[in-house]
Amino acid sequence: MGLDVGEKTIGIAVSDLMGWTAQGVETIRRTRLEADLQRLQELIQQWEVDSVVCGLPRNMNGTYGPKADEVRKFGSLIEKRLKIPVHFWDERLTTVAAHKTLLEGDMSRAKRKKVVDKLAAVLILQNYIDANSCKKQS
């Protein structure tokens, strides 16, 4: 499962059973931490997820800022509370790429706003899958 963790939303993506492709599932509107974790637990069970990939925000120069610390803390909570391994993956420019893709599809601003985080989660997870499949082949 791939997550694009933001302050207001969490974009969710899952891979197919073979672990080749990522598909968007939903965008969670964040309310309370417990409610967010409960919904993630439900999705993890529903999709039979065995690990989570959280997009880790980095600055363009490669350094980490306060948002990265927040995502790391959230990932640690997932690992501890939901008993599932969490990996972190550089998410630089995934939201920009998601917006660009949706603009190219001539999607209205209102519709883009509803799906951009889910698409960013797809890009995070797909990049992680692709990088790890290359490692397995070498």
Side-chain angles (χ1 to χ4, degrees):
M1 175 179 278
L3 304 180
D4 179 37
V5 181
E7 290 178 22
K8 296 180 182 180
T9 62
I10 303 171
I12 313 283
V14 296
S15 71
D16 63 332
L17 291 175
M18 300 297 290
W20 292 344
T21 62
Q23 299 89 36
V25 173
E26 73 177 69
T27 300
I28 297 173
R29 273 256 166 250
R30 298 192 73 176
T31 54
R32 297 176 297 104
L33 178 60
E34 293 305 320
D36 299 343
L37 291 172
Q38 176 62 39
R39 183 61 187 142
L40 283 173
Q41 179 67 50
E42 291 166 3
L43 291 168
I44 286 167
Q45 290 173 342
Q46 176 184 344
W47 293 96
E48 300 176 9
V49 172
D50 60 11
S51 65
V52 172
V53 178
C54 286
L56 191 62
R58 295 181 87 170
N59 299 319
M60 290 309 291
N61 66 3
T63 61
Y64 297 101
K67 295 287 183 206
D69 292 336
E70 291 174 24
V71 170
R72 281 192 188 107
K73 286 177 188 172
F74 188 72
S76 293
L77 272 173
I78 292 170
E79 221 167 28
K80 185 177 178 182
R81 294 262 199 71
L82 306 184
K83 309 287 190 239
I84 190 163
V86 174
H87 311 279
F88 297 97
W89 191 254
D90 184 353
E91 70 166 21
R92 274 181 286 190
L93 301 179
T94 54
T95 301
V96 172
H99 275 291
K100 184 177 178 182
T101 300
L102 296 171
L103 278 168
E104 288 172 358
D106 201 27
M107 188 176 279
S108 71
R109 182 185 309 252
K111 288 182 182 176
R112 281 195 315 266
K113 190 174 180 179
K114 291 179 184 177
V115 298
V116 70
D117 297 315
K118 180 170 50 173
L119 183 54
V122 168
L123 294 172
I124 290 163
L125 183 56
Q126 190 65 57
N127 289 338
Y128 180 84
I129 289 168
D130 292 347
N132 283 292
S133 70
C134 289
K135 286 179 189 175
K136 290 175 186 174
Q137 291 174 5
S138 6

